[in-house]
Amino acid sequence: AGPVESKNEAAMSELVPEPRQKPVVPMKPTGINASLLGYIGIDTIIEQMRKKTMKTGFDFNIMVVGQSGLGKSTLVNTLFKSQVSRKSSGWNREEKIPKTVEIKAIGHVIEEGGVKMKLTVIDTPGFGDQINNENCWEPIEKYINEQYEKFLKEEVNIARKKRIPDTRVHCCLYFISPTGHSLRPLDLEFMKHLSKVVNIIPVIAKADTMTLEEKTEFKQRVRKELEVNGIEFYPQKEFDEDLEDKTENDKIRQESMPFAVVGSDKEYQVNGKRVLGRKTPWGIIEVENLSHCEFALLRDFVIRTHLQDLKEVTHNIHYETYRAKRLNDNGGLPPMAVETEENHESNL
């Protein structure tokens, strides 16, 4: 019996496999870092966006509003260092002051460092030049809303364009007369009506006609009057997205606004340098010198720091407000215009 049992045990041991050892589970990495994952290339997204944007270019539409003789055309020429205003584009000096407010838009293409910008300057000759200026802001408000309507109609088309032409007004420079006293009723009425539909930036024109003390007092008085009348100008407080934006914009609202500016497209020699300025019997007023005026602050604000934000606020706030109201009023879609054969062919 003994040898038979030992044979059976040997056979059993051959059939039952030995238990396998469990595989070792690797420990989870304590932290994900560059050495673990290697370089992915997320940081190239900015460069991709830059290349795309440079190919398509930029649109920027700026409106200038104010009485005749406040230097609107000169200031816009100075801002972009080009002859872009209505007067420098074939304006006739014998032209009479319009009886009503007219809207004149002039387009230019400006290129700098490989970046193309299609700039449109919208002038409003006749504004505030009449004895009775009642409701003279209405043609301006109508023009701004017409551009929103044009954009909306393109947007709701079934076969819409890949890139809708943008004629919406991104920025309105409102020129305040340098009286040194207070804002006129016309100034307050215009800004009350238009601040809800466009980004208004108030500027005190021809600031070289006031002393430094008068200028400081006038700026404070204008800010107070705007606040008392509940007039919001750009950059609006409620659109500050984060603390950094709020801090930067608060400084602009409380110290810089309204910008007291001097414009000039004439060059003079000062200390061996060519500078833009205005010649007076007591010296040269340098346009880009901060101790002389705030033109440099205005240019940096409009072009170098807030140009993209001006466009975004126009699209996301003012245009969206108009769009929501239009679609609600018309049950979801704007009324279909009766298309002529000519229009139909142009669309095709």
Side-chain angles (χ1 to χ4, degrees), residues 84-143:
V84 295
S85 69
R86 173 178 61 97
K87 285 190 179 180
S88 54
S89 302
W91 177 71
N92 181 7
R93 291 195 173 274
E94 293 174 5
E95 193 179 299
K96 292 179 181 176
I97 293 171
K99 289 183 180 178
T100 56
V101 179
E102 294 177 8
I103 309 290
K104 296 195 175 182
I106 296 164
H108 301 269
V109 175
I110 298 176
E111 189 169 348
E112 186 179 76
V115 178
K116 280 185 183 177
M117 182 169 78
K118 190 188 173 194
L119 172 72
T120 305
V121 178
I122 303 121
D123 200 355
T124 53
F127 177 85
D129 293 335
Q130 313 305 318
I131 294 168
N132 179 10
N133 289 303
E134 189 180 1
N135 298 339
C136 66
W137 56 81
E138 283 181 354
I140 297 170
E141 188 173 18
K142 185 185 173 205
Y143 175 85

Side-chain angles (χ1 to χ4, degrees), residues 75-302:
L75 186 83
V76 174
N77 287 344
T78 319
L79 262 180
F80 295 98
K81 293 191 176 178
S82 303
Q83 298 294 311
V84 295
S85 69
R86 173 178 61 97
K87 285 190 179 180
S88 54
S89 302
W91 177 71
N92 181 7
R93 291 195 173 274
E94 293 174 5
E95 193 179 299
K96 292 179 181 176
I97 293 171
K99 289 183 180 178
T100 56
V101 179
E102 294 177 8
I103 309 290
K104 296 195 175 182
I106 296 164
H108 301 269
V109 175
I110 298 176
E111 189 169 348
E112 186 179 76
V115 178
K116 280 185 183 177
M117 182 169 78
K118 190 188 173 194
L119 172 72
T120 305
V121 178
I122 303 121
D123 200 355
T124 53
F127 177 85
D129 293 335
Q130 313 305 318
I131 294 168
N132 179 10
N133 289 303
E134 189 180 1
N135 298 339
C136 66
W137 56 81
E138 283 181 354
I140 297 170
E141 188 173 18
K142 185 185 173 205
Y143 175 85
I144 291 167
N145 285 329
E146 276 172 359
Q147 307 320 303
Y148 292 148
E149 182 69 18
K150 199 186 286 185
F151 195 90
L152 176 63
K153 281 184 176 175
E154 287 286 352
E155 207 177 44
V156 298
N157 276 344
I158 295 168
R160 62 184 180 184
K161 294 171 185 171
K162 188 178 177 182
R163 190 164 180 261
I164 299 170
D166 192 0
T167 59
R168 298 168 299 180
V169 181
H170 301 123
C171 170
C172 172
L173 291 181
Y174 186 77
F175 286 70
I176 298 164
S177 188
T179 59
H181 300 293
S182 58
L183 290 171
R184 299 171 304 161
L186 176 61
D187 300 330
L188 293 169
E189 284 299 312
F190 175 88
M191 287 191 266
K192 262 184 195 172
H193 282 85
L194 273 292
S195 62
K196 303 295 179 191
V197 295
V198 71
N199 296 316
I200 290 180
I201 298 175
V203 295
I204 297 167
K206 297 196 170 180
D208 52 329
T209 59
M210 295 186 286
T211 65
L212 293 176
E213 292 78 15
E214 285 171 343
K215 185 172 75 176
T216 305
E217 284 175 21
F218 189 42
K219 278 167 68 86
Q220 288 172 350
R221 199 173 293 123
V222 168
R223 278 199 295 269
K224 188 71 180 169
E225 285 188 52
L226 292 173
E227 190 183 332
V228 167
N229 286 278
I231 296 166
E232 285 277 331
F233 51 83
Y234 180 85
Q236 298 92 330
K237 288 178 186 174
E238 63 264 37
F239 306 148
D240 292 341
E241 291 188 350
D242 54 40
L243 190 62
E244 189 183 345
D245 285 353
K246 187 181 184 306
T247 307
E248 185 187 344
N249 290 340
D250 273 345
K251 192 178 179 186
I252 292 164
R253 286 186 284 259
Q254 291 161 16
E255 295 174 20
S256 303
M257 290 284 189
F259 296 97
V261 296
V262 177
S264 174
D265 43 18
K266 289 183 180 175
E267 285 190 344
Y268 294 95
Q269 195 88 14
V270 176
N271 299 327
K273 288 182 180 178
R274 301 289 291 173
V275 297
L276 289 169
R278 285 171 60 84
K279 196 172 184 179
T280 67
W282 49 88
I284 305 288
I285 296 163
E286 296 171 42
V287 166
E288 294 176 298
N289 188 334
L290 279 174
S291 61
H292 291 195
C293 79
E294 293 168 353
F295 169 79
L297 290 177
L298 173 67
R299 183 193 55 207
D300 288 354
F301 177 66
V302 172

